[in-house]
């Protein structure tokens, strides 16, 4: 059990961020939330990705009584989320802890040691692998979607990761948020330019992580 | 799969197979480069990934700076008047420590020990690194938040010196900054709590000045943190 105690006295807001990735590949592991003292008021959650299940889990189980513990088991693997627990009244103090269940030591799977005898791969390891990289052939006009970029075996799931630098051309960039949208599909993906100007030199890496 | 090998980790993710090549570190210790040096460094292939951090103990920011002058290559970011406008920017490090991750094709392949996996055409997709390796600690995309902290805002990595951040998607650029202009910045700031432990703040912001007011908005940032093993 790994416990992170919250110590923020700023009107009782306690937060934790992203500790699922303190170790690799443990994103599906349950966490326990315990309210120790104070009047529980509310919670909120933020995440870059999509988490289904956490909101319903907290809403249905969290009455706010001291000593209450709930267990949250994410129903969808993702890289990061943050949960905020907020005191019931401003200036009051809420103390609590969030614990992550320790991943059991596996009794199966592959272990690889390097020449120095250091274990470099275990069944808990998460590795990235190279699938493809490249650049669009020409500038992508405002609002335009690229031709399909074919990647053999590609699926529309989160085992495929496409990374794109946000700055592709300083001279033609603008202030529009989320400059490009990547759409994955079976066997290919596309890139859409969300800005009001053309983007050139769009490079990408396709990884399996 | 109907044949060959596939290694799946405890969470259902494939980590080794004979379809996709794994990445390998091309050195036995980190390279060192000064702020302002050209990025990417010589010898970098288009398929490479570059991971960097500040020197141990320096509470500083690592980023890649794109210059407004046409034709100029990006550089390892230096602290300047414009970059310092971002609240979470912590200043330039005295140097950058970085590793380069390559596909197997550019590296000497060790032999005589470990696991090797070949594809159907005879190409090597996995081999056992002789010295250092790395594994993914965090990977994701910031869209709704201007910054996130790993492992948490109160937690620490006990061996932060082993954690490096992806530079390929880092970016800082300014166009007419401070007056009718904008700046975009996606960077990593290291916060050392002790000489060896600490946390990493991932920041992604867009600053805009319309001549009357300054505004900050979250940007779109593909990030990755890896841990060196070995």
């Amino acid at each position: 059990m790994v416990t992170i105690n919250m110590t923020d006295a700023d009107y009782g807001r306690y937060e934790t961020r992203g500790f699922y990735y303190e170790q690799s590949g443990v994103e599906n592991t349950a966490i326990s939330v315990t309210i120790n003292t104070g009047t529980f008021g509310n919670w909120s959650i933020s995440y870059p990705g999509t988490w289904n299940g956490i909101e319903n889990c907290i809403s249905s189980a969290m009455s706010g009584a001291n000593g209450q513990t709930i267990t949250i088991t994410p129903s969808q693997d993702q890289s990061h989320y943050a949960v905020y627990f907020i005191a019931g009244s401003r200036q009051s103090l809420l103390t609590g802890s969030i614990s992550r269940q320790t991943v059991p030591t596996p009794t199966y799977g592959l272990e690889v040691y390097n020449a120095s005898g250091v274990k470099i791969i275990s069944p808990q390891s998460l590795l990235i692998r190279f699938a493809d990289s490249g650049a669009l052939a020409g500038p992508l006009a405002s609002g335009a979607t690229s031709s399909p970029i074919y990647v053999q075996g590609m699926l529309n799931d989160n085992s495929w990761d496409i990374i794109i630098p946000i700055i592709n051309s300083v001279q033609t960039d603008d202030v529009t948020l989320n400059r490009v949208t990547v759409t994955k599909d079976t066997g290919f993906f596309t890139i859409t330019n969300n800005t009001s100007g053309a983007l050139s030199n769009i490079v990408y890496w396709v990884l399996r992580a | 799969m109907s044949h060959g090998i596939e290694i799946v980790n405890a969470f259902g993710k494939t980590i080794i197979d004979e379809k996709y090549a794994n990445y390998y570190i091309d050195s036995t210790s980190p390279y060192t480069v000064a702020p302002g040096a050209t990025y990417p460094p010589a010898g970098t292939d288009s398929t490479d990934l570059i991971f960097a951090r500040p020197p141990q103990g320096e509470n500083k920011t690592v980023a890649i700076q794109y210059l407004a002058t046409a034709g100029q290559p990006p550089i390892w970011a230096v602290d300047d008047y414009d970059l310092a406008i971002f609240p979470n920017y912590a200043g330039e490090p005295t140097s950058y420590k970085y590793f380069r991750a390559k596909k197997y094709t550019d590296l000497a392949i060790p032999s005589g020990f470990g696991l090797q996996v070949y594809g159907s055409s005879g190409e090597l997709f996995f081999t056992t690194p002789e010295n250092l390796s790395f594994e993914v600690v965090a990977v994701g995309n910031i869209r709704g938040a201007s910054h996130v902290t790993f492992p948490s805002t109160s937690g620490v990595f006990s061996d932060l010196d082993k954690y490096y951040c992806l530079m390929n998607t880092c970016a800082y650029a300014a166009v007419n900054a401070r007056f009718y202009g904008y700046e975009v910045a996606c960077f990593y700031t290291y916060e050392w709590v002790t000489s060896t432990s600490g946390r990493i703040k991932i920041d992604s912001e867009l600053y805009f000045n319309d001549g009357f007011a300054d505004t900050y908005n979250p940007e779109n940032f593909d990030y990755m943190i890896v841990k060196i093993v070995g």
Side-chain angles (χ1 to χ4, degrees), chain A residues 11-208:
Chain A
Y11 58 89
R13 189 184 77 172
Y14 299 91
E15 66 180 41
T16 184
R17 290 173 185 266
F19 55 87
Y20 274 164
Y21 270 105
E22 212 171 316
Q23 299 176 53
S24 63
V26 294
E27 64 266 34
N28 286 320
T29 307
I31 65 170
S32 295
V33 181
T34 300
I35 302 299
N36 297 326
T37 61
T39 301
F40 175 73
N42 206 342
W43 58 270
S44 63
I45 186 169
S46 65
Y47 31 71
T50 300
W51 282 81
N52 296 322
I54 290 181
E55 295 89 342
N56 292 337
C57 178
I58 297 178
S59 295
S60 61
M62 207 77 181
S63 69
N66 287 355
Q68 180 187 30
T69 295
I70 64 169
T71 298
I72 301 171
T73 303
S75 58
Q76 177 180 345
D77 55 1
Q78 251 290 344
S79 58
H80 168 80
Y81 71 82
V83 185
Y84 302 84
F85 295 94
I86 303 169
S89 60
R90 191 174 175 86
Q91 306 300 326
S92 68
L93 186 64
L94 185 71
T95 66
S97 64
I98 297 179
S99 304
R100 188 185 64 210
Q101 309 298 318
T102 300
V103 178
T105 301
T107 56
Y108 60 92
L110 176 75
E111 291 183 344
V112 177
Y113 293 78
N114 68 11
S116 302
V118 176
K119 182 162 62 178
I120 59 171
I121 293 176
S122 77
Q124 295 180 9
S125 296
L126 179 61
L127 306 182
I128 53 171
R129 295 173 297 143
F130 176 84
D132 196 8
S133 71
L136 295 189
L140 190 61
S142 172
T145 297
S146 70
S147 300
I149 301 165
Y150 294 98
V151 181
Q152 186 174 12
M154 185 171 186
L155 298 173
N156 180 17
D157 63 28
N158 61 13
S159 71
W160 291 85
D161 193 21
I162 300 163
I163 59 174
I164 297 178
I166 65 164
I167 293 180
N168 302 290
S169 171
V170 174
Q171 284 71 41
T172 59
D173 226 337
D174 71 5
V175 297
T176 305
L177 297 181
N178 299 323
R179 307 163 178 242
V180 298
T181 298
V182 175
T183 303
K184 292 183 287 189
D185 207 327
T186 302
F188 69 90
F189 69 95
T190 58
I191 300 172
T192 299
N193 177 6
N194 297 325
T195 74
S196 59
L199 291 176
S200 59
N201 303 319
I202 296 180
V203 298
Y204 58 84
W205 286 263
V206 181
L207 306 175
R208 300 215 62 188

Side-chain angles (χ1 to χ4, degrees), chain B:
Chain B
M1 62 186 297
S2 58
H3 66 280
I5 185 173
E6 182 178 20
I7 306 297
V8 180
N9 71 10
F11 310 99
K13 295 287 183 67
T14 299
I15 58 175
I16 298 171
D17 66 10
E18 79 291 315
K19 294 181 179 177
Y20 302 101
N22 289 73
Y23 273 105
Y24 301 96
I25 293 173
D26 72 342
S27 62
T28 57
S29 60
Y31 299 106
T32 299
V33 66
T38 298
Y39 174 91
T44 300
D45 297 318
S46 62
T47 57
D48 290 354
L49 299 178
I50 296 177
F51 301 94
R53 66 164 171 81
Q56 193 167 347
E58 290 192 12
N59 294 325
K60 297 298 182 182
T61 295
V62 292
I64 302 302
Q65 187 167 345
Y66 287 74
L67 303 175
T69 306
Q72 291 294 307
I75 60 174
W76 296 88
V78 295
D79 185 8
D80 64 14
Y81 176 80
D82 293 325
L83 190 53
I85 199 171
F86 293 100
N88 291 313
Y89 179 72
E92 64 174 308
T94 56
S95 65
Y96 285 81
K97 303 290 184 182
Y98 74 91
F99 280 102
R100 192 162 44 202
K102 289 179 173 291
K103 293 197 301 178
Y104 69 93
T105 46
D106 295 326
L107 301 173
I109 304 301
S111 61
F113 65 93
L115 176 70
Q116 293 185 326
V117 176
Y118 292 86
S120 58
S121 301
E123 65 273 40
L124 186 62
F125 277 174
F126 178 85
T127 187
T128 304
E130 189 161 5
N131 293 298
L132 299 178
S133 182
F134 68 94
E135 62 182 15
V136 177
V137 176
V139 59
N141 176 282
I142 298 176
R143 288 182 186 272
S146 60
H147 63 270
V148 294
T149 304
F150 287 93
S152 73
T153 54
S154 58
V156 296
F157 292 120
S158 60
D159 45 3
L160 185 62
D161 56 308
K162 294 182 179 178
Y163 289 77
Y164 289 73
C165 300
L166 181 68
M167 293 287 104
N168 299 60
T169 53
C170 261
Y172 164 70
V175 176
N176 297 324
R178 299 289 178 120
F179 188 71
Y180 289 107
Y182 75 94
E183 298 180 60
V184 59
C186 298
F187 53 67
Y188 305 90
T189 296
Y190 278 62
E191 298 177 349
W192 299 83
V193 176
T194 69
S195 61
T196 57
S197 68
R199 59 187 72 98
I200 301 170
K201 178 179 290 183
I202 304 173
D203 197 88
S204 174
E205 291 187 76
L206 184 144
Y207 161 81
F208 181 64
N209 182 299
D210 62 1
F212 300 97
D214 297 340
T215 57
Y216 294 89
N217 292 298
E219 248 296 350
N220 186 12
F221 182 21
D222 295 324
Y223 64 84
M224 186 183 299
I225 300 173
V226 300
K227 181 181 181 181
I228 302 298
V229 182

